[in-house]
Amino acid sequence: MRVLRSSAIAAVAAATALAALTGCAKKSDDKDSNAVDVTATDDKCQVSKTSFAAGHVKINVRNQGAKVTEVYVYAPGDRIVTERENIGPGTRAEITATIKAGEYEIACKPGMKGDGIRQKITVTGDGAQAKSDPELDKAVAEYRKYVQEQADETLPVARKFADAVKNGDVDGARKLYAPSRVGWERTEPVAESFGDIDPKVDVREDGLEKGQEWTGWHRLEKSLWETKQISDEDKKLADRLMADLEDWSKRVGTAEITPTSMANGAKELLDEVYRNKITGEEERYSHTDLADFEGNVDGALKAYELLKPVAGKHDPALVKELDQQFAAVKQALDAYREGDGFKSYDTVGQDDRKKLSDVVNALSEPLSKLAAAVAK
């Protein structure tokens, strides 16, 4: 779940520096008719064109504001088509996405909160459907199968977790908490694309919008580790969590998935690791951040491996680097394994967290280029 907190100021400052290196976008090529420039400030979101052809679209973002921002392309109902987070002040980011014909909104979110400053856009024609690559079609089909499997396999584990909560079994619920989240963490960008499910199941207390009720995993996490008691309200929330996860499992098969959304989703998963897991913000009560870390990396690796045959043809040097950097992240994470899981993250010192951060950043930079390689 994406949210910015005051306690993450240092991480955001580092992200700003990282963005200058990893998200740099070249000025739009006049020959590229589907390049769209987005200039974000703290109170404006200027779009160079509000109508363009469907197909592979390059969105060049420049943040001229004083706040870290993020940019989204929303379909009706706030379904997320593509996004890029952690765009620091004075930096640029380049997003390559496949967008079908229709009406959309581009949103800039200074401070990375709220509904954002929005501009309506129209995408015309059927360019997105005109080009078909059998290898990429296969990759999308396999990834769709993967995300459905992850959702379906989550339900029985989450049911055991919910039952433990309803039975007042604090120790049992604690043991099942992290395992119940694995499938979600592996496929989080797809789940988030629906817009309404993520805020119900994965929001943290300081990420709540005004008037929003706090439900989901992290509400129960706080009871299990901070108050160490399960209330009658918690038992009701366990049932609500299951209802929302069952809704996710039913709807995930309808998600809009393209090769570029897979690639961008892999990058988003690495952003999740950097922004929330490395800082310890994600699981602030249970300290099970490393399990989430692994889930995010596993999901990113799956998307990459499916896209690798095509990316390798277009950019073999990129694939070579990604292979090396994924292996390095896996090796770094393995150092913290303990039994069937991981060490409690509150036992991981700042020096070790910095090392983890560095290895994640080293993967994030080349991974940001995957969508462009696939779209060539």
Side-chain angles (χ1 to χ4, degrees):
M1 173 66 190
R2 50 179 78 81
V3 61
L4 182 69
R5 284 167 290 277
S6 59
S7 59
I9 294 297
V12 169
T16 299
L18 174 66
L21 297 174
T22 66
C24 291
K26 298 177 182 178
K27 292 182 179 180
S28 295
D29 187 342
D30 292 338
K31 296 179 181 179
D32 187 349
S33 62
N34 265 23
V36 180
D37 292 335
V38 176
T39 303
T41 68
D42 294 343
D43 56 8
K44 293 181 181 179
C45 187
Q46 298 177 325
V47 181
S48 63
K49 61 179 81 172
T50 57
S51 180
F52 49 87
H56 295 319
V57 179
K58 183 185 294 183
I59 303 172
N60 298 315
V61 182
R62 183 178 182 184
N63 183 5
Q64 293 185 325
K67 300 178 181 178
V68 176
T69 196
E70 52 191 14
V71 172
Y72 290 76
V73 176
Y74 285 117
D78 277 3
R79 181 178 61 80
I80 300 172
V81 177
T82 191
E83 65 177 292
R84 183 58 53 86
E85 303 175 7
N86 286 324
I87 306 171
T91 66
R92 300 171 183 261
E94 182 179 287
I95 311 168
T96 300
T98 303
I99 305 180
K100 294 181 178 181
E103 302 296 323
Y104 300 88
E105 290 182 321
I106 290 180
C108 304
K109 295 189 179 182
M112 298 172 62
K113 298 190 73 172
D115 291 333
I117 304 163
R118 302 193 178 200
Q119 297 289 338
K120 295 183 182 297
I121 60 172
T122 300
V123 180
T124 61
D126 58 355
Q129 292 84 15
K131 298 179 181 179
S132 180
D133 183 323
E135 284 187 286
L136 290 178
D137 290 345
K138 180 181 178 181
V140 169
E142 288 297 316
Y143 188 67
R144 187 178 296 281
K145 179 181 177 182
Y146 172 74
V147 296
Q148 185 66 65
E149 287 174 347
Q150 293 302 309
D152 293 345
E153 290 171 7
T154 293
L155 294 184
V157 185
R159 171 57 66 191
K160 291 179 181 178
F161 168 70
D163 286 346
V165 172
K166 291 165 65 177
N167 291 331
D169 182 359
V170 173
D171 289 340
R174 283 182 170 186
K175 292 176 182 177
L176 290 162
Y177 174 77
S180 75
R181 291 174 50 76
V182 171
W184 176 271
E185 292 294 333
R186 287 173 175 166
T187 60
E188 195 166 2
V190 176
E192 287 178 343
S193 71
F194 293 108
D196 62 333
I197 297 178
D198 181 83
K200 296 176 184 177
V201 305
D202 201 30
V203 70
R204 290 174 293 279
E205 188 171 16
D206 51 356
L208 295 170
E209 299 292 341
K210 186 176 180 180
Q212 181 184 349
E213 181 183 4
W214 191 17
T215 61
W217 269 303
H218 295 297
R219 173 65 182 83
L220 295 171
E221 179 202 5
K222 183 175 183 179
S223 293
L224 292 170
W225 272 273
E226 185 172 85
T227 65
K228 301 179 179 64
Q229 293 181 343
I230 295 173
S231 67
D232 289 341
E233 180 63 22
D234 291 331
K235 295 176 182 180
K236 294 178 182 178
L237 289 172
D239 279 334
R240 289 190 59 177
L241 174 64
M242 283 310 306
D244 291 331
L245 290 176
E246 287 167 358
D247 182 34
W248 163 51
S249 181
K250 291 176 182 177
R251 292 167 61 186
V252 73
T254 67
E256 185 70 36
I257 298 174
T258 66
T260 55
S261 75
M262 290 168 59
N264 288 326
K267 175 63 167 64
E268 290 163 30
L269 286 169
L270 263 291
D271 288 344
E272 279 283 322
V273 173
Y274 180 82
R275 188 176 59 256
N276 297 324
K277 280 68 173 181
I278 296 295
T279 62
E281 297 288 331
E282 179 81 359
E283 307 292 357
R284 62 186 64 177
Y285 309 111
S286 65
H287 305 299
T288 56
D289 302 87
L290 290 172
D292 288 356
F293 183 144
E294 182 177 51
N296 287 159
V297 173
D298 284 347
L301 179 60
K302 181 65 175 183
Y304 164 61
E305 287 179 336
L306 290 172
L307 295 171
K308 181 177 174 178
V310 173
K313 293 177 182 179
H314 297 162
D315 195 338
L318 176 64
V319 164
K320 181 179 179 180
E321 184 175 6
L322 284 171
D323 285 344
Q324 294 172 343
Q325 298 301 341
F326 266 112
V329 169
K330 285 287 194 178
Q331 183 178 10
L333 189 56
D334 284 345
Y336 301 96
R337 293 192 184 278
E338 188 172 82
D340 294 332
F342 291 93
K343 294 179 180 179
S344 180
Y345 198 57
D346 59 341
T347 68
V348 178
Q350 290 301 318
D351 288 345
D352 285 340
R353 293 187 185 197
K354 176 61 166 58
K355 291 177 183 178
L356 286 170
S357 177
D358 289 345
V359 77
V360 169
N361 291 345
L363 170 58
S364 182
E365 191 278 328
L367 196 57
S368 68
K369 302 175 183 178
L370 181 60
V374 168
K376 286 184 178 179

